[in-house]
């Protein structure tokens, strides 16, 4: 039962930075998904992969994992890079 701790990134459809300051703890899937022969939906007996916990800081997530004896891996936040570009650059 290992967990990943990472900061939530904004998705491509999001222009603002809402909820990107929160940290997420979720569990790595321990068994592969398999298709149901009757419906064709994929499923697994692993219920831990459905658990997603949010925390206000990385330290709070690490403290939670340490308190309950959960093995974890902290994934660092990638640096934010801005590509400054002017509209006039389209016509060079």
């Amino acid at each position: 039962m290992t967990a990943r701790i990472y900061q939530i990134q904004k998705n491509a459809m999001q222009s603002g930075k809402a909820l990107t300051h929160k940290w997420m703890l979720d569990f790595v899937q321990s068994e592969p998904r398999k298709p149901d022969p009757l419906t064709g939906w994929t499923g697994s007996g692993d219920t831990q992969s459905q658990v997603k916990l949010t925390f206000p800081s990385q330290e709070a997530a690490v403290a939670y994992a340490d308190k309950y004896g959960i093995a974890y891996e902290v994934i660092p936040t990638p640096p934010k890079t801005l590509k400054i570009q002017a509209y006039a650059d389209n016509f060079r």
Side-chain angles (χ1 to χ4, degrees), residues 14-60:
Q14 186 177 5
S15 63
K17 294 182 180 172
L19 304 177
T20 59
H21 61 278
K22 293 187 178 186
W23 287 78
M24 178 81 68
L25 182 143
D26 63 357
F27 293 93
V28 178
Q29 196 170 13
S30 63
E31 67 179 52
R33 293 179 172 267
K34 51 185 174 273
D36 185 302
L38 182 62
T39 62
W41 293 7
T42 59
S44 158
D46 178 27
T47 57
Q48 286 290 338
S49 64
Q50 299 173 5
V51 176
K52 295 183 187 328
L53 303 173
T54 58
F55 295 93
S57 66
Q58 177 184 355
E59 292 79 21

Side-chain angles (χ1 to χ4, degrees), residues 4-23:
R4 298 180 300 171
I5 298 175
Y6 57 94
Q7 192 169 18
I8 299 173
Q9 298 290 315
K10 68 176 194 152
N11 62 23
M13 300 300 292
Q14 186 177 5
S15 63
K17 294 182 180 172
L19 304 177
T20 59
H21 61 278
K22 293 187 178 186
W23 287 78

